[in-house]
Amino acid sequence: MEIRPDERPEREQPRSKAGVWIALVIAAALIGGGAYYLLSGDNAPEEEPTAAVEFEPEPLPAPPATPAPLPEVKEEIPPQAPPPEVKKVPLPSLDESDKLAREKLAELTPDGKLELWLPGDFILRRGTTLVDGLSRGIVLRKMLNAPAPEGKFAVLKDGAKISIDSANYQRYNYLVETLEALDTDSIVGLFHFLRPLLEQAYGELGYPPEKVDKAFIAALDQILAAPFPLQPVYLTQESVNYKFADPSLEALSPLQKQLVRMGPTNTKRVQDKAKEIREALLK
């Protein structure tokens, strides 16, 4: 992990850009339950007894003749109207898809803030390339214009021990809140709507186009596999760079290292969103 120490302040590189496309490409259906209430019938009120009355029985009427057959009634079922035709919105070519992609992606956040984070051109090609990298745990930082976290990376020093300052984690709150605000149903619907263009962009990278969904799922799995290390997270310093002191953390993919740097609470929130989208994509 490459981190600048306090004594060499430098603006943090926007590694967190990966998080936006994590959510964009990464609704679970809300499952509601109901109860059936069985109501028992009320007892009829009791009637007061009446005195017995003597009477002469009347003769029984003669049985009626064979009843005439009831007239046959034919039930006419009104013809049902055909279901309305669903209009299919034609997709533009991949080369001309930026306007549509920008409009659709901007709709995923209530305040439209996401539009400011999108690259200027080749949006779907950039997004597909980023997803390909994320599926292998690689963060391609130049694929998005997401703002970098404010301030510099903070550490605590206790003698020879160096650890991540927990105050550092709040620097990523803005990103996590943006991810959580994304509507999962809309993300999944947009993936299926744009899938022909995404397949074409994925094929241009040299992969089988129909495997693009597996790349998306693999990117989500990379996120879900990130660990929750015990706090504090200790570091070692070599030259001007920090590394994780725990070899198992240092061996993580760059994407998973980024999640560890965001802190356990933020990592859990990002993973919850990734799991939600993964389940929706597989339905």
Side-chain angles (χ1 to χ4, degrees):
M1 179 181 65
E2 302 295 329
I3 306 171
R4 298 286 182 182
D6 289 349
E7 50 267 35
R8 285 178 173 263
E10 179 177 321
R11 185 168 183 82
E12 183 73 9
Q13 293 296 324
R15 298 186 180 184
S16 58
K17 291 180 179 182
V20 180
W21 272 102
I22 288 169
L24 294 181
V25 301
I26 340 188
L30 299 176
I31 302 174
Y36 294 93
Y37 296 92
L38 303 178
L39 304 178
S40 58
D42 295 332
N43 292 328
E46 295 183 359
E47 297 181 358
E48 295 183 1
T50 56
V53 180
E54 294 183 1
F55 62 92
E56 293 292 334
E58 296 182 1
L60 296 174
T66 304
L70 296 174
E72 185 178 353
V73 178
K74 292 183 178 180
E75 183 180 359
E76 294 185 1
I77 302 175
Q80 296 183 351
E85 292 185 4
V86 179
K87 268 192 171 182
K88 291 186 178 180
V89 180
L91 288 174
S93 67
L94 182 58
D95 290 334
E96 299 175 346
S97 63
D98 281 346
K99 183 175 182 295
L100 174 65
R102 182 176 294 278
E103 291 174 353
K104 293 296 183 182
L105 293 174
E107 293 173 359
L108 295 178
T109 51
D111 55 6
K113 183 189 300 183
L114 200 62
E115 183 178 3
L116 303 176
W117 296 12
L118 301 176
D121 52 12
F122 307 115
I123 293 175
L124 296 184
R125 283 189 173 98
R126 288 173 184 262
T128 305
T129 302
L130 179 57
V131 171
D132 173 51
L134 294 176
S135 69
R136 294 177 282 117
I138 301 172
V139 181
L140 302 176
R141 305 172 195 169
K142 296 182 180 180
M143 291 296 164
L144 209 59
N145 295 329
E150 295 182 357
K152 59 181 180 179
F153 188 82
V155 299
L156 295 175
K157 293 185 178 181
D158 181 12
K161 292 183 178 180
I162 306 173
S163 62
I164 298 178
D165 188 345
S166 60
N168 182 72
Y169 300 149
Q170 66 184 5
R171 300 168 63 234
Y172 300 93
N173 288 349
Y174 79 99
L175 171 63
V176 178
E177 289 166 1
T178 301
L179 298 184
E180 289 180 328
L182 297 173
D183 182 74
T184 304
D185 287 326
S186 298
I187 293 171
V188 175
L190 184 58
F191 170 78
H192 292 302
F193 174 65
L194 296 175
R195 178 162 184 159
L197 299 180
L198 296 173
E199 287 184 346
Q200 183 180 343
Y202 194 61
E204 289 179 355
L205 297 177
Y207 299 110
E210 68 278 5
K211 303 287 187 181
V212 66
D213 55 343
K214 293 188 176 181
F216 278 60
I217 296 299
L220 294 169
D221 287 341
Q222 280 279 341
I223 298 168
L224 294 173
F228 294 89
L230 294 176
Q231 301 294 312
V233 177
Y234 290 103
L235 308 171
T236 61
Q237 185 174 3
E238 298 180 6
S239 183
V240 296
N241 299 320
Y242 290 123
K243 292 185 177 181
F244 287 117
D246 185 340
S248 65
L249 296 181
E250 187 59 32
L252 294 173
S253 69
L255 172 58
Q256 292 169 348
K257 287 181 180 179
Q258 175 62 63
L259 288 166
V260 171
R261 294 176 66 208
M262 292 170 62
T265 299
N266 282 336
T267 297
K268 177 66 165 55
R269 292 166 69 184
V270 172
Q271 287 182 336
D272 285 345
K273 191 68 176 182
K275 180 180 179 182
E276 184 179 276
I277 298 173
R278 188 185 193 282
E279 290 175 350
L281 283 172
L282 292 177
K283 284 186 177 179

